[in-house]
Amino acid sequence: MRPVCVLGLGLIGGSVLRAADAAGYPVWGATESALDADAARAEGFSVEPSVADAVRRAASTDALVVLAVPLPAVEPVLREIAALAPECRLTDVVSVKGPVVDAVSRLLPRARYAGGHPMAGLSASGWAASDAELFQDAAWVVTADVEESEEDGAVSATDPTLWREVARLALDCGGQVVPATAAEHDAAVARVSHLPHMMAAVLAAVGADGGPLALTLGAGSFRDGTRVMASRPELVRAMCEGNRQALLDAVDDALGRLGAARGALASTGSVAATVQAGHSARLAWERLTGPREEGVTEVPVTNLARLVALGRAGGRVIDLTDRTAMVRMPQPPSSASGV
Ligand SMILES: O=C(O)C(=O)C[C@]1(C(=O)O)C=C[C@@H](O)C=C1
């Protein structure tokens, strides 16, 4: 198995290190946090004294480097990698893809790269919160740079061999791979992750404005709706600001819907349309992400454009051979859904 070098040993990087180790990969890591490094070493993990040492080791073993640092640290760490391993195999687990893809193509043009994003997290952070099981059955985006070419149809600038290796690691860590372009990923997570963080911030603040009585009555809906606001604010901020344009579009959509709901409540006294649309959308999400036995499509791993198209339709890669990806497609919509 190709070794795995994880740069950043917080919640996500630490969980990748643990999960890859449990899957049998030779692993080591590095982190700027002495606390996290000591804690990982105390559990017997190999932690290099610096990022540079870890990257040198990756260069000499042709390891897959996993960049697991917060967005503001991405460029400085990429510069270090560029100086020591300019042709490395690289992926990342950062929650926004556009800025990372841009930085990799500027600073590491000769690297073989496919971006990654496991859709899993907790409000707790750091190595102490990391868990080998964190990614179990989670969607894990692996990006492919697919472009339309007039002559040949869709072509991919991403090396399929590297894409397959990154997808294999994601599967071995317990995830289910969602192929997507970086731009489509960013537009999608703006709606289902970054906007929910913004809404949670607003919801928590509106609740607190109600004073102690309102807060003491905060139960399930308030707890679930504001849970992510217990996360470190600087990480949430970097994630939202890093996806500015897509998040603006999602906020506009939300404001339009909230405005329509307010208008209907004020004029007719009814929020039926808003609640029905939300109920149908929630059921559609449950159906799309729920368990499904059949409906597996086999696609050659070299056909990244087809994989991206299936990812767009809700498909997830649940297994891989050397040549073929097994993509599980979602349940067809039922007529009762109303969506
Ligand atoms: O479960 C949580 O606490 C998360 O916030 C995880 C969550 C999300 O669901 O929005 C947040 C950021 C990650 O990039 C991916 C997933």
Side-chain angles (χ1 to χ4, degrees):
M1 268 169 156
R2 188 181 296 288
V4 172
C5 160
V6 184
L7 304 179
L9 297 177
L11 170 70
I12 303 297
S15 299
V16 173
L17 192 82
R18 288 179 189 279
D21 175 66
Y25 290 81
V27 295
W28 63 92
T31 171
E32 296 287 292
S33 158
L35 198 73
D36 286 345
D38 288 347
R41 283 194 196 107
E43 288 187 53
F45 286 98
S46 169
V47 181
E48 293 288 337
S50 70
V51 165
D53 287 304
V55 172
R56 263 187 227 108
R57 188 168 162 190
S60 67
T61 53
D62 208 10
L64 176 64
V65 177
V66 181
L67 188 61
V69 297
L71 189 58
V74 163
E75 285 222 14
V77 174
L78 286 180
R79 284 180 206 282
E80 278 200 74
I81 299 173
L84 299 164
E87 297 186 0
C88 67
R89 296 159 194 272
L90 181 68
T91 186
D92 71 279
V93 287
V94 180
S95 50
V96 189
K97 295 276 67 78
V100 183
V101 170
D102 280 357
V104 170
S105 58
R106 255 184 303 114
L107 301 169
L108 277 163
R110 286 186 287 139
R112 275 154 293 174
Y113 168 76
H117 183 200
M119 295 306 298
L122 297 170
S123 44
S125 58
W127 171 266
S130 66
D131 178 0
E133 301 291 312
L134 183 68
F135 309 118
Q136 216 50 51
D137 297 331
W140 187 317
V141 174
V142 180
T143 64
D145 185 4
V146 177
E147 281 168 14
E148 294 297 322
S149 120
E150 280 184 20
E151 282 168 25
D152 310 309
V155 293
S156 169
T158 304
D159 171 12
T161 308
L162 188 273
W163 190 92
R164 189 196 160 282
E165 276 184 27
V166 174
R168 182 74 261 164
L169 176 66
L171 291 174
D172 289 339
C173 288
Q176 297 178 351
V177 172
V178 178
T181 65
E184 285 177 314
H185 164 275
D186 287 356
V189 292
R191 287 177 178 272
V192 297
S193 179
H194 305 162
L195 178 66
H197 281 77
M198 289 289 90
M199 302 281 256
V202 172
L203 198 56
V206 170
D209 279 351
L213 175 61
L215 285 181
T216 202
L217 298 181
S221 56
F222 188 73
R223 183 185 55 238
D224 294 348
T226 62
R227 178 181 61 83
V228 291
M229 279 302 107
S231 311
R232 275 164 57 198
E234 70 275 20
L235 297 182
V236 174
R237 185 186 157 190
M239 174 171 90
C240 292
E241 292 174 359
N243 200 14
R244 184 162 175 262
Q245 191 51 54
L247 180 55
L248 281 171
D249 293 345
V251 168
D252 286 345
D253 192 345
L255 288 176
R257 286 170 186 272
L258 204 53
R262 190 195 184 284
L265 186 62
S267 59
T268 68
S270 170
V271 290
T274 303
V275 172
Q276 188 53 51
H279 179 65
S280 299
R282 165 76 195 202
L283 295 187
W285 174 72
E286 287 178 8
R287 200 176 45 250
L288 196 95
T289 54
R292 166 125 212 225
E293 294 304 317
E294 75 278 19
V296 170
T297 305
E298 296 195 10
V299 181
V301 180
T302 47
N303 194 347
L304 290 177
R306 171 99 178 112
L307 286 169
V308 164
L310 294 179
R312 194 178 297 132
R316 293 182 179 197
V317 177
I318 53 165
D319 203 359
L320 276 170
T321 66
D322 283 350
R323 290 161 186 265
T324 312
M326 262 63 81
V327 188
R328 196 190 65 201
M329 297 309 293
Q331 301 277 11
S334 82
S335 50
S337 77
V339 177

